[in-house]
Amino acid sequence: MTRHPDDADSDDADSSDTDPDDGTAERGADDLLRSPPDERSVPELLRFGVVNVDKPAGPSSHQLSAWVRDAINETLAALDPDGAPIEGVAHAGTLDPKVTGCLPTLTGDATRAAQVFLEGSKEYVSVLELHGPPPADFRDVVAEFEAEIYQKPPRKSAVTRRLRTRTVHDLDVLEVDDRQALLRIRCESGTYVRKLCHDIGLATGVGAHMGHLRRTATDPFDDRDLHPLQDLVDGLAWAEAGDDALLREVVRPAEDALVHLPSVTIAPSAARNVATGAPVYAPGVIDADPISEREESDDAADADEPPLVACHTPDGAAVCLGRLVGDPDAESGVVVSLERVLV
């Protein structure tokens, strides 16, 4: 997985301080599957979890990820000294050091699922700093940007600087005070809010730049269950002392990061085959979400690409991410092609 530097408000790809393999190497069919999400021990939770971190202003996303990794490994060394430390964590898109807010962070083996954060929307609240008095039609001008827009990544971005489109689903002017406007933006992953603010300034005729920026949601997480890093540190300390209640509130099973994806339930025997790299075949499918009836994501990188789905065992444990390439009700054939093995 490619690591991206801390661009101003870029989230084109999820960033990790490690480059985990897809989990298929040297796996045997007799390996035990992961236990149900609500029955995992603290070490199991820490090795396959997600924390909805409230990123403060100051540290980079990469620094915060390293702190999360190191804090977890200290507790794992105390609670499970014979077990392996986690190699890294992966967060839901880089935020500039000055930007605050929602930074869901996957731990340990869950880093393999980081691509799920590209499948949903992100939401921000931003202060638009106008360079002159707002024109009389300011709100109408802003409303024009609630659409599919063209953007070229900034020069300091780690991605290729080519013109591309991104969709702004909702763009609301919450308040205007003199030369400042408070905006709420719900947009496709990979949208550069700094560039959006600049373009709005050009359209108004007075110029503008982005002031404070806070991310309030990254599907499927939002700011209703954010936790500062201190909550994680306190939860880990209490868990080492024998009280894991706070930790289980802060660190959730990694399956919680997959709830916005269509789900395919597969038999344990099929899951063991997936662990060795086999796709999901029709006889192994127990149930599947009615994909055709779900709202199609506006954030898909390629509209012709089959939908990304999460496969689970009947007890709710995640098995893999893959593309739905066949009919779940069929008698034979491949139903899900693998992208990332999670067991």
Side-chain angles (χ1 to χ4, degrees):
M1 182 179 300
T2 303
R3 185 187 313 146
H4 293 269
D6 295 296
D7 298 332
D9 40 284
S10 165
D11 41 42
D12 284 284
D14 300 307
S15 181
S16 170
D17 65 347
T18 186
D19 190 12
D21 62 33
D22 64 4
T24 62
E26 301 181 2
R27 298 298 299 270
D30 293 332
D31 283 1
L32 294 177
L33 301 178
R34 190 170 282 111
S35 58
D38 58 355
E39 297 180 8
R40 290 171 192 161
S41 66
V42 168
E44 288 175 321
L45 181 63
L46 294 177
R47 292 189 175 108
F48 193 70
V50 60
V51 186
N52 191 16
V53 177
D54 188 355
K55 180 191 173 297
S60 69
S61 300
H62 180 64
Q63 286 175 315
L64 189 142
S65 296
W67 294 340
V68 170
R69 178 201 62 208
D70 294 345
I72 288 175
N73 279 336
E74 287 183 11
T75 294
L76 285 174
L79 296 181
D80 187 21
D82 295 330
I86 64 170
E87 295 184 3
V89 301
H91 58 69
T94 302
L95 293 176
D96 182 84
K98 295 181 180 180
V99 179
T100 66
C102 188
L103 190 69
T105 303
L106 296 162
T107 68
D109 290 342
T111 59
R112 301 172 190 159
Q115 72 186 88
V116 301
F117 294 124
L118 298 179
E119 298 296 316
S121 301
K122 291 181 169 63
E123 184 180 273
Y124 300 87
V125 173
S126 177
V127 175
L128 180 70
E129 301 282 355
L130 294 160
H131 300 168
D137 62 346
F138 173 71
R139 292 177 181 271
D140 292 333
V141 171
V142 172
E144 292 296 321
F145 287 84
E146 190 177 293
E148 186 176 48
I149 61 174
Y150 287 95
Q151 286 195 324
K152 179 181 285 189
R155 292 185 182 278
K156 63 179 180 179
S157 171
V159 300
T160 303
R161 295 193 69 242
R162 58 180 178 82
L163 193 65
R164 78 269 181 88
T165 62
R166 288 294 183 267
T167 300
V168 177
H169 304 297
D170 296 296
L171 181 52
D172 301 320
V173 179
L174 302 179
E175 186 178 353
V176 178
D177 183 12
D178 194 17
R179 296 185 182 185
Q180 291 183 319
L182 186 64
L183 307 179
R184 184 183 69 86
I185 306 147
R186 189 173 70 86
C187 55
E188 181 180 351
S189 181
T191 303
Y192 286 86
V193 178
R194 189 179 302 276
K195 183 67 167 61
L196 175 63
C197 290
H198 173 77
D199 292 345
I200 290 174
L202 293 179
T204 63
V206 300
H209 66 274
M210 185 188 80
H212 179 67
L213 179 67
R214 180 170 177 81
R215 188 155 65 191
T216 53
T218 294
D219 283 345
F221 301 99
D222 58 34
D223 57 1
R224 291 174 293 181
D225 58 358
L226 285 172
H227 293 281
L229 191 60
Q230 188 61 48
D231 281 359
L232 174 63
V233 173
D234 288 347
L236 291 168
W238 280 105
E240 290 184 37
D243 182 355
D244 62 6
L246 176 59
L247 184 65
R248 291 185 182 277
E249 179 183 331
V250 176
V251 183
R252 294 151 60 178
E255 283 84 357
D256 284 7
L258 312 179
V259 296
H260 61 309
L261 299 179
S263 178
V264 176
T265 304
I266 63 176
S269 58
R272 293 187 180 93
N273 290 332
V274 168
T276 63
V280 176
Y281 293 100
V285 176
I286 297 175
D287 193 15
D289 282 355
I291 309 298
S292 61
E293 296 178 12
R294 294 176 67 103
E295 180 181 356
E296 294 184 2
S297 171
D298 292 326
D299 301 332
D302 184 347
D304 296 326
E305 190 172 30
L308 184 69
V309 298
C311 295
H312 301 80
T313 51
D315 59 16
V319 178
C320 68
L321 296 177
R323 297 287 172 182
L324 190 72
V325 296
D327 182 359
D329 296 323
E331 296 294 328
S332 62
V334 175
V335 175
V336 179
S337 63
L338 297 189
E339 293 222 346
R340 300 296 269 180
V341 174
L342 304 178
V343 292

